[in-house]
Amino acid sequence: EADVVTTKAQVGELVKVLNKYCMDNRKFPKNLNSLEENSKKTGEPYMKTLPSDAWGADFLYKRLKNGRDFELTSYGADGRDGGEGFDTDIKASKTGIEQEKK
């Protein structure tokens, strides 16, 4: 349960950073590694290092709608698409976080 809470917090932080990136650049980045590059506004990176989920896996990121939205995913405890309970995927878009119920 603590890993789910931790991962949701990490996803929430990434959503904030991605939305900040979009405000500065008028679109979401092509990939998460772009968040480690220096901002044109501040000269500082949006994030110094990218987090992984609580199970040690990289977050999956996909830019959608010509850069106007994104999908961010952690596959949960089992590390696979789908699942139930602690294995349930945790997903986010520019509007927030949801835990898939399958």
Side-chain angles (χ1 to χ4, degrees), residues 31-48:
N31 56 58
L32 289 179
N33 293 331
S34 297
L35 300 178
E36 295 178 310
E37 297 170 4
N38 289 341
S39 162
K40 293 175 186 170
K41 276 188 148 182
T42 66
E44 298 289 323
Y46 290 90
M47 298 189 94
K48 293 186 189 230

Side-chain angles (χ1 to χ4, degrees), residues 62-82:
K62 190 184 324 179
R63 185 169 77 166
L64 307 170
K65 299 180 184 173
N66 294 325
R68 294 186 310 259
D69 201 354
F70 65 88
E71 183 176 89
L72 185 67
T73 304
S74 163
Y75 281 152
D78 67 354
R80 296 183 302 182
D81 189 20

Side-chain angles (χ1 to χ4, degrees), residues 1-22:
E1 188 174 334
D3 288 340
V4 171
V5 171
T6 297
T7 298
K8 284 184 177 182
Q10 292 165 323
V11 168
E13 184 62 28
L14 277 169
V15 168
K16 287 180 194 174
V17 173
L18 286 161
N19 282 316
K20 171 81 171 115
Y21 181 100
C22 185

